[in-house]
Each structure stands twice: as structure tokens, then as C-alpha cells.
Amino acid sequence: MRVSAFRRAHFNAAHRLHNPKWSDEKNREVFGLCNNPNYHGHNYELEVKVTGEVDPETGYLIDLGELKQIIYEEVEQRFDHKNLNLDVPEFSDLNPTAEYICYVIWQKLRARLEEKYELQVRLYETPRNFVEYPA
Amino acid sequence: MRVSAFRRAHFNAAHRLHNPKWSDEKNREVFGLCNNPNYHGHNYELEVKVTGEVDPETGYLIDLGELKQIIYEEVEQRFDHKNLNLDVPEFSDLNPTAEYICYVIWQKLRARLEEKYELQVRLYETPRNFVEYPA
Amino acid sequence: MRVSAFRRAHFNAAHRLHNPKWSDEKNREVFGLCNNPNYHGHNYELEVKVTGEVDPETGYLIDLGELKQIIYEEVEQRFDHKNLNLDVPEFSDLNPTAEYICYVIWQKLRARLEEKYELQVRLYETPRNFVEYPA
Amino acid sequence: MRVSAFRRAHFNAAHRLHNPKWSDEKNREVFGLCNNPNYHGHNYELEVKVTGEVDPETGYLIDLGELKQIIYEEVEQRFDHKNLNLDVPEFSDLNPTAEYICYVIWQKLRARLEEKYELQVRLYETPRNFVEYPA
Amino acid sequence: MRVSAFRRAHFNAAHRLHNPKWSDEKNREVFGLCNNPNYHGHNYELEVKVTGEVDPETGYLIDLGELKQIIYEEVEQRFDHKNLNLDVPEFSDLNPTAEYICYVIWQKLRARLEEKYELQVRLYETPRNFVEYPA
Amino acid sequence: MRVSAFRRAHFNAAHRLHNPKWSDEKNREVFGLCNNPNYHGHNYELEVKVTGEVDPETGYLIDLGELKQIIYEEVEQRFDHKNLNLDVPEFSDLNPTAEYICYVIWQKLRARLEEKYELQVRLYETPRNFVEYPA
């Protein structure tokens, strides 16, 4: 019996979109307001989807309390109330677009989950803009 | 022209997670607060996804009014304002985790829908915890 | 400079509406499905409103982190994953309607907040049914 | 690195469900209140999902600002504050069910997006009724 | 013990803003897209607030099931899937702005509620535009 | 006929809570994670409430399209995708707590609205933390 279980979490962070290989002018042209050198910020909302077989002993796919704790350790503790560009090493040379933040979160959670689980991450930058990895 | 149509519904119920083959101690350890012998409860939110070909006469995949009625008869009437463990026969020897509630709902709706439709059920136990069957 | 600050929290609980002075028949007639002897449950959503003067040193009306902690100790720790009728002493002889749950929460929070603050509590039993005390 | 990016938009429109090949009686029977000859209306909520490879120069799958502009030109400008049956040529002989509105929107957006992107459209007629194309 | 109790409901309707004493040009200038002669529509969301003393026998301010039924008879049955300008007599010579729809709903509900209750109505035309009567 | 009309808007910004008269240690103690010297950020959600008499010619309290434009010019254009501490002059020596941001927004909107209107502003820093001015 194969199911998916989802857990939502959130973190509030500052970021700036910028490609250091480009001129300031090109950065402003491509990233617009998101290129503001003084940063701006978001309430990021995270939706973690785990897929696999239900354990007939517990009736759980995965203990969502344990998943919540993993998300706390890997994502909230590192990203919440942080400046993603300056405070999170993964973005020291990776542009913190929603796409790449989502990918980094996927990698961090993937490393903590057992092989038997499939993993997909959805990240809301705003209620109207969001991304999902893997597609 | 293949589409999916979704209908949301909800029910309010009490439940308790418990494996009768285990000691009380192990039940408390595995299920934590959800093992409270006096039950706790949720506003369950249900999202039913039906997939198939649009009928060119109506422009409908399925009459959502009829789907609403099927959900009412199969789910709301049996689960709403009930104690899932005590009042719903399907859970007399099945642990009412979100995963198994979702599966039971899928079975009940599957039996009422024509073969030509695919069916998937998503069940929100809280806005932050939810499951989907089949994966 | 007088402002209001709000903090939302939530708890999941079972309850049953019942007046022990009435016959079973009258209880069923007045409370309907909510009178189910085996209980049902809700994801209660709580909105706490505090009103007063902003502290010019901090720019805060009240530290919302402290308010969150008070709500945790007074409400979540006592009500979450509980049966309100059986596990919460305040309802041993008080019918746990949304109105009275809201009033009990108001009393508990009032006792923990400084006199200088005004307090109002809103309690959502479902997204469509909610109450507020005091009016 | 393959991801999906989503953009939400909305429009407010009137419509009526009606099959001109049927009698008035059959139309009322099949479409019920939705057949009201004087129309009714909805706040339609649109969710556009684009899938493809992230551009390593920008870290974007697609510039969501550009996608927002395409949605504005193709959907909002043509559908918002309109009567779908009378004001939108695509529905002059196509019943504006959620399924067909979703399909028409998919066609309009598909024509504006590069071949390399996959496209899926979800359309909410109400928060409880929605459709997705392609399935 | 004075409390407020709230009940939410919704209806889907078409409407058009128009002042028959003005020229077409002035109507277009003042009401813009909302003046479309073919109508447009909304999912109206209604929030009814009743205030008064809790009945110590029931623990209720008012039976929300009865309030739901009154809202159904007075509002949903008359407004849902209707054209407010053409199908609802109250708007035959009253412009169906959110302000006046809210006021008409307030009058209809006021006539059905006991004198001892205070009544306030909030009407959402969209999630971003809404009104409240009385202020 | 006295009503209130509400308009919601939003902006995404970075900020940091800090009192320059205090030591770094005291700032960390009082403001916790919100004192991060590299800033963090939020999707701020704004709810503007205007109260007054309905104009019988239009049926409007206020043209919500005009209110939307005023909010755009006074709030969104100045605050959206900005660092409140560094990019918004009003916060050069005012701590950008939700309370003070709300107050600054109220002042800016008050200056643009006719005297006859009452004004109240609610500002959501997150869906769970929000403030209102005046109380």
C-alpha cells in the first residue's frame, strides 16, 4: 500500500538575486527589484512530500513528528531569520532563487531520509509564486 | 481530452492511534499524544481527485454535484461528528492513522465511481499534515 | 500610541456537548450530532488579541515570543490532543461549547498578562464557526 | 536539474452552462442552477505550472515576472470582469465549464511558451471545485 | 457573559455596477470594468457576527445550526447562482455594490433574529476587497 | 448609512530589529533571532480599513480602485522588495517592528485620505503574528 505523506513548515529569511559574473546593469535588468543590494525578504512556506509503503505495524508511512524534527534541524534552524546570501554557506556561490533554495533543501532532507522513501519538495516564496523539485 | 476534477469536503471526528498488539508503554512511545486513551480530534479536510475524458455533450468530466453527493453518503454521513475508533466499523481493527483513513475513503469512493475514472484521495489531518492515496 | 497585537495558535481536541440536567432525548434534540456520546473533535484555531501602549524602548506592545510561550503553557499544553470533557478539569461541569472554551482560555490568559493590557480571545471551532470573548 | 515553477492569478467573470442542442428542460435538469439564463459568476483562481530545466546563469526555470505578464495578456485582460459566454469568442460555441475554460487557457498559454517547457493549468471555480489540464 | 459568534457562508453571483441616472460614458468612467453591460461575477463570502449573552442552559449564544439555516433561506437561496441585478428584486433599483449587498443582507437577517441579538455583516467580494455593515 | 470597506495588499521586505542605544548583548537578548545583523525578511500582508458614509450616487464608501492606487504609491512602491532599515527613510531611526511599520503606514495613508474617513491599518508580519493601529 503505497502512499504519500506531506509536512508543511516555514521560515522567514532575507535574500538577494545576483549573478557575480554579470555587470550591475545586467543584474538589475534580469533580476529587477529582486537584485536590491540591501536585500528583501519572504515568509517561505515549505511542503515536504515523502512517498513509500505504509508500515502495517504503525499504519504510518513515516512518523510525521520525526519528519518535523528533521525539517527543523536541516531547514528551519539554518534558514529561519537568516540572510540566505550571507548566513547560509550553501548560497555563498549559488544564487538563492526559489529553484535553488528548493534544490538545496531537497539535498539536505534526502541525506537524512532512508533510501526507501521518495522525496519531493515544494517551496512557496509567496502565495502566488512557488517551485517544486524534482519535477 | 483528459482532465482531472477535484472536489473538497470535510468532516470533524475524534480518534486515537493505538496498536492492540503492543503494550501501553510501546503505544505511548510510538504514538505519543495521539495515543491519549480518551481520544482527541480533528477537522479533517478531504480532496477527491477524479481523472478521465471530458464528455463533449456536457463539457464535464463528472457532475461535481453528483460527486459531492457520493462523498456525502460515503464519507460525511459515516465519519462526521463520529469517533472513528468506536463509531466507524472499518476502524474496529484498523488503526485510524491519516494513511488508513485515506485508504478507507478511497475504497468507499472507488466502489461508487464508474470504472472509467481514475481516483486519488488526499486527506488533511491538519493544515500542516496530510496524506495522499494512491501515491 | 495604542495598538493591538495578535498571536494565533492551535490545538486538536475531542469534545462532546451535553447538559447532564437534561434527558438524553433533549440533549440529542438540542445538540444534535455534537451530542455523540463517543465524542467528535476539531482542529481549534485560537487568535489572541492584546491591546495597550507601545513601549518606545522596544517598539513592541508585548513580546510575541513571550505571549506564544504563555499560550503554550496555558492552552496548548493543557488542551492539545486532549478530550476536553474528560481530560481538562475546567470542563468537568462546564459544557465545552466554543463559547465556554473561549471564556476559559480568556480567564487563563488574563491571569498571566499584566493589568495594563486589554485581552480578547477569538476561537475557531471550524473555519466557518467561531466565537469571540469578550464581545 | 528539472523543476516545476508555479504562478497563481485570478479573474472574476460571469458565465452560464448551456448546451444549445438540448431543450431548456434538459439543460435545467443537467446543469441545474448553473443554467440560470441570466448568468451567475465566480472569482476564478488560476494556477499555472511550467516544467523544465533550470537555467544555470539565472537560477530560474522561467522568469515568473514574464510568466505573470503572459498570463495577464492572455487570460486576465480577456476574461477578467467579462461574461465568458458573451464577451469571450472562444466560448461562443463552447460550453464554459471549468474543464473547457481550463483547456482554453492552456491553449492560449501553450502558444506563448517556448517548446522546451511543459505546461499544466489548474483552475479553481470555487475553493471546493477545481480542475486540471492535462491530467 | 457577553460574546460574539460568527458563521461564514458563500454564494456565487453575477452583477453589474450601473447608475441609470448617469450617461453610459459616466458609468464607464466611475465603475470601469464593473460596468460591463454583460455582467461579471464573484464568489461572495459572507461572515455573519451575532453578539449577546450566553444561555447558561446550552452554553450557546445562538444555535449556529439555526443561524446557518436562516442564512440559507434569506441569502443563499435567493442570491446563489443568480444575477443580482436581474434576479433579486432588492437590486431592481439599487446598485449591487458590495456596500449595498451587505446592507440588504443585514436587513434580511435582522428581520429574522431576535431583538436581543446585535448583528454585523461582513461581505467579501474578493479575498482582497470586502465591506462591513454597520461600521 | 455608515460602513467599513477593506482593501488588502502586500509587500516583501527585509528588516532587522535593533535599538542603537543598547549593547549588542542586550539587543540579542531582547530581539533574539530578529536582531540578526544581516537581516531577515517577511511577506507582509496589509489590511486597510476605511469607515464612513456610503455615497448614494455610487453606492461606494470609497472607490477601492483609488484606495488600491494610494496603497500602491504610499506603501508598495516604497516598501516592496526593500530593506526597511536601509532603504526606507522613516526607519532610519525608528525600529521597524510590526507596530511601528503599521503606524508609519497609517500616517502615510491618513495624509492621502479625505478627513471624512476613519482609518485603521492591520499588518500581518506572518500569518500568526499581526498588529492593528489604532487600537
Side-chain angles (χ1 to χ4, degrees):
Chain A
M1 186 195 148
R2 197 167 174 77
V3 305
S4 298
F6 300 73
R7 172 74 196 168
R8 277 178 164 258
H10 58 96
F11 58 94
N12 310 321
H15 81 148
R16 176 203 188 192
L17 301 186
H18 184 74
N19 183 337
K21 294 185 293 185
W22 293 347
S23 67
D24 285 0
E25 197 183 352
K26 179 157 186 195
N27 269 294
R28 276 194 299 272
E29 188 193 312
V30 173
F31 295 121
L33 291 172
C34 299
N35 183 239
N36 178 5
N38 289 329
Y39 311 99
H40 64 285
H42 295 291
N43 300 334
Y44 289 94
E45 186 83 16
L46 181 66
E47 192 177 295
V48 176
K49 178 185 184 180
V50 177
T51 300
E53 293 290 326
V54 169
D55 174 345
E57 289 296 300
T58 57
Y60 281 167
L61 167 67
I62 187 173
D63 183 325
L64 285 179
E66 286 178 21
L67 181 58
K68 178 186 176 183
Q69 180 62 22
I70 291 171
I71 295 170
Y72 174 70
E73 290 169 22
E74 296 299 325
V75 183
E76 291 174 68
Q77 216 168 33
R78 297 174 193 223
F79 291 15
D80 188 35
H81 282 72
K82 293 285 165 45
N83 181 310
L84 298 180
N85 302 65
L86 301 181
D87 298 328
V88 180
E90 284 82 355
F91 300 108
S92 61
D93 59 359
L94 185 67
N95 202 5
T97 59
E99 287 86 339
Y100 279 140
I101 303 171
C102 190
Y103 177 62
V104 165
I105 290 172
W106 182 87
Q107 284 183 308
K108 288 177 167 300
L109 296 179
R110 182 65 278 178
R112 292 288 303 275
L113 288 173
E114 291 180 60
E115 289 281 340
K116 67 181 175 184
Y117 294 122
E118 275 180 50
L119 174 66
Q120 191 184 43
V121 173
R122 180 182 278 200
L123 182 72
Y124 292 80
E125 199 167 78
T126 72
R128 297 206 165 265
N129 289 351
F130 47 106
V131 300
E132 212 170 68
Y133 178 84
Chain B
M1 188 194 147
R2 198 167 173 78
V3 305
S4 298
F6 300 74
R7 173 75 196 168
R8 277 176 165 259
H10 59 96
F11 57 94
N12 311 321
H15 80 150
R16 176 203 188 192
L17 301 186
H18 184 74
N19 183 337
K21 294 185 294 184
W22 293 346
S23 67
D24 286 358
E25 197 183 352
K26 178 155 186 196
N27 270 294
R28 276 193 299 272
E29 189 192 312
V30 172
F31 294 121
L33 292 172
C34 299
N35 184 241
N36 178 4
N38 288 330
Y39 311 99
H40 65 285
H42 295 290
N43 300 334
Y44 289 94
E45 185 84 15
L46 181 66
E47 192 177 296
V48 177
K49 178 185 184 179
V50 177
T51 301
E53 293 289 327
V54 170
D55 175 344
E57 289 297 301
T58 57
Y60 280 167
L61 167 68
I62 187 173
D63 184 325
L64 286 179
E66 287 177 22
L67 181 58
K68 178 185 175 183
Q69 180 62 22
I70 291 172
I71 296 170
Y72 174 71
E73 289 169 23
E74 296 298 325
V75 183
E76 292 174 66
Q77 214 167 36
R78 297 173 192 224
F79 291 15
D80 188 35
H81 281 73
K82 294 284 164 45
N83 181 309
L84 298 179
N85 303 65
L86 301 180
D87 298 328
V88 181
E90 285 82 354
F91 300 109
S92 62
D93 59 359
L94 184 68
N95 203 4
T97 58
E99 286 87 338
Y100 280 140
I101 303 170
C102 190
Y103 176 64
V104 165
I105 291 172
W106 181 88
Q107 285 183 309
K108 288 177 167 301
L109 298 178
R110 180 68 276 179
R112 293 288 302 276
L113 288 173
E114 291 179 61
E115 288 281 341
K116 66 180 176 185
Y117 294 121
E118 276 178 51
L119 174 67
Q120 190 183 42
V121 174
R122 181 182 277 199
L123 182 72
Y124 292 80
E125 199 167 79
T126 73
R128 299 205 164 266
N129 289 351
F130 48 105
V131 299
E132 212 170 66
Y133 178 83
Chain C
M1 188 194 147
R2 199 168 172 78
V3 306
S4 298
F6 301 75
R7 172 76 197 168
R8 277 176 165 260
H10 59 96
F11 58 94
N12 310 320
H15 80 150
R16 175 202 189 193
L17 300 186
H18 184 75
N19 183 337
K21 295 185 294 184
W22 293 345
S23 67
D24 285 358
E25 197 183 352
K26 178 157 186 194
N27 269 294
R28 275 193 299 271
E29 188 192 312
V30 173
F31 295 120
L33 292 172
C34 299
N35 184 240
N36 178 4
N38 289 330
Y39 311 98
H40 64 285
H42 295 291
N43 301 334
Y44 290 95
E45 185 83 15
L46 181 67
E47 192 176 295
V48 176
K49 178 184 184 180
V50 177
T51 300
E53 293 288 327
V54 170
D55 175 345
E57 289 296 301
T58 57
Y60 281 167
L61 167 67
I62 187 173
D63 183 327
L64 285 179
E66 286 177 23
L67 181 58
K68 178 185 175 182
Q69 179 62 21
I70 291 171
I71 295 170
Y72 174 70
E73 289 170 22
E74 295 299 324
V75 183
E76 292 174 67
Q77 213 167 35
R78 297 173 192 222
F79 290 15
D80 188 37
H81 281 72
K82 294 284 163 48
N83 182 310
L84 298 179
N85 303 65
L86 301 181
D87 298 328
V88 180
E90 283 83 354
F91 300 108
S92 61
D93 59 358
L94 184 68
N95 203 4
T97 59
E99 286 87 339
Y100 279 140
I101 302 170
C102 190
Y103 176 63
V104 165
I105 290 171
W106 181 87
Q107 285 184 309
K108 288 178 167 298
L109 297 179
R110 180 69 276 177
R112 292 288 301 276
L113 288 173
E114 291 179 61
E115 289 282 340
K116 66 180 176 184
Y117 294 122
E118 276 179 50
L119 173 67
Q120 190 184 43
V121 173
R122 180 182 279 200
L123 182 73
Y124 291 80
E125 199 167 80
T126 73
R128 298 205 165 267
N129 289 351
F130 48 106
V131 299
E132 211 169 67
Y133 178 83
Chain D
M1 188 194 147
R2 198 167 172 78
V3 306
S4 298
F6 301 74
R7 173 76 196 168
R8 278 177 164 259
H10 59 96
F11 57 94
N12 310 320
H15 80 149
R16 176 203 188 192
L17 300 186
H18 184 74
N19 183 337
K21 295 185 293 187
W22 293 346
S23 67
D24 285 358
E25 197 182 353
K26 180 158 185 195
N27 269 294
R28 274 194 300 272
E29 189 192 312
V30 173
F31 295 120
L33 292 173
C34 299
N35 184 240
N36 179 4
N38 288 329
Y39 311 98
H40 65 285
H42 295 290
N43 300 334
Y44 290 94
E45 185 84 14
L46 181 66
E47 192 177 295
V48 176
K49 178 185 184 179
V50 177
T51 301
E53 293 288 326
V54 170
D55 175 345
E57 289 297 300
T58 57
Y60 281 166
L61 168 67
I62 188 173
D63 183 326
L64 285 179
E66 287 176 22
L67 181 59
K68 178 186 175 182
Q69 179 63 20
I70 291 172
I71 296 170
Y72 174 71
E73 289 170 22
E74 296 298 324
V75 183
E76 291 174 69
Q77 214 167 36
R78 297 173 193 223
F79 291 15
D80 188 36
H81 281 71
K82 294 284 164 46
N83 181 311
L84 298 180
N85 303 64
L86 301 180
D87 298 327
V88 181
E90 284 82 355
F91 299 109
S92 61
D93 59 357
L94 184 67
N95 203 4
T97 59
E99 287 86 339
Y100 280 140
I101 303 170
C102 190
Y103 176 63
V104 165
I105 290 171
W106 181 88
Q107 285 183 308
K108 288 177 166 301
L109 297 179
R110 180 68 277 177
R112 292 288 302 275
L113 288 172
E114 292 179 59
E115 288 282 340
K116 67 181 176 183
Y117 295 122
E118 276 178 50
L119 174 67
Q120 191 184 42
V121 173
R122 180 182 279 200
L123 182 72
Y124 291 81
E125 199 166 79
T126 73
R128 298 207 164 265
N129 288 353
F130 48 105
V131 300
E132 212 171 67
Y133 178 83
Chain E
M1 187 194 147
R2 199 167 172 79
V3 305
S4 299
F6 301 74
R7 173 75 196 168
R8 277 177 164 258
H10 58 97
F11 58 94
N12 310 321
H15 81 149
R16 176 203 187 192
L17 301 186
H18 184 75
N19 183 336
K21 295 186 292 184
W22 293 346
S23 66
D24 285 0
E25 197 181 353
K26 179 157 186 195
N27 269 294
R28 275 194 300 272
E29 188 191 312
V30 172
F31 295 121
L33 292 172
C34 299
N35 184 240
N36 178 5
N38 288 330
Y39 310 99
H40 64 284
H42 295 291
N43 300 333
Y44 289 94
E45 186 83 15
L46 181 66
E47 192 176 295
V48 176
K49 178 184 184 180
V50 178
T51 301
E53 292 290 326
V54 170
D55 174 346
E57 288 296 301
T58 57
Y60 281 167
L61 167 67
I62 188 173
D63 184 326
L64 285 179
E66 286 177 22
L67 181 58
K68 178 185 175 182
Q69 180 62 22
I70 292 171
I71 296 170
Y72 173 71
E73 289 169 23
E74 296 299 325
V75 183
E76 293 175 65
Q77 215 168 33
R78 297 172 193 223
F79 291 15
D80 188 35
H81 281 72
K82 293 285 165 46
N83 181 310
L84 298 179
N85 303 66
L86 302 180
D87 298 328
V88 180
E90 284 83 354
F91 300 108
S92 62
D93 59 358
L94 184 67
N95 203 5
T97 59
E99 287 86 339
Y100 280 139
I101 303 170
C102 190
Y103 176 63
V104 165
I105 291 172
W106 181 87
Q107 284 182 309
K108 289 178 166 298
L109 297 178
R110 180 68 276 178
R112 293 287 303 274
L113 288 172
E114 292 179 59
E115 288 281 340
K116 67 181 176 183
Y117 295 121
E118 276 179 50
L119 173 66
Q120 191 184 43
V121 173
R122 181 183 279 201
L123 182 72
Y124 291 81
E125 200 167 79
T126 73
R128 299 206 163 266
N129 288 353
F130 48 106
V131 299
E132 212 170 68
Y133 177 83
Chain F
M1 187 193 147
R2 197 168 173 78
V3 306
S4 299
F6 300 74
R7 172 75 196 169
R8 277 177 166 258
H10 58 96
F11 58 93
N12 310 319
H15 80 149
R16 176 203 188 192
L17 300 186
H18 184 75
N19 183 338
K21 294 185 294 185
W22 292 347
S23 67
D24 285 358
E25 197 182 353
K26 181 157 185 195
N27 270 293
R28 276 194 299 272
E29 188 192 312
V30 172
F31 295 121
L33 292 172
C34 299
N35 183 241
N36 179 5
N38 289 329
Y39 311 98
H40 64 286
H42 295 291
N43 300 333
Y44 290 93
E45 186 83 14
L46 181 66
E47 193 177 294
V48 176
K49 178 185 185 180
V50 177
T51 300
E53 293 289 326
V54 170
D55 174 346
E57 289 296 301
T58 57
Y60 281 167
L61 168 66
I62 187 173
D63 184 325
L64 285 179
E66 286 177 22
L67 181 58
K68 178 185 175 183
Q69 179 63 21
I70 292 171
I71 295 170
Y72 174 70
E73 289 170 22
E74 296 299 323
V75 183
E76 292 174 67
Q77 215 168 34
R78 297 174 193 222
F79 291 15
D80 188 35
H81 281 71
K82 293 285 164 44
N83 181 310
L84 299 179
N85 303 64
L86 301 181
D87 298 328
V88 181
E90 284 82 355
F91 300 108
S92 60
D93 58 358
L94 185 68
N95 202 5
T97 59
E99 286 87 339
Y100 280 139
I101 302 171
C102 190
Y103 176 63
V104 165
I105 291 172
W106 182 88
Q107 285 183 309
K108 288 176 167 300
L109 298 178
R110 181 66 277 178
R112 293 287 302 274
L113 289 172
E114 292 179 58
E115 289 281 340
K116 67 180 177 185
Y117 294 122
E118 275 179 51
L119 174 66
Q120 190 184 43
V121 173
R122 180 182 279 200
L123 182 73
Y124 291 80
E125 199 167 80
T126 72
R128 299 206 164 265
N129 288 354
F130 47 107
V131 300
E132 212 169 67
Y133 178 82

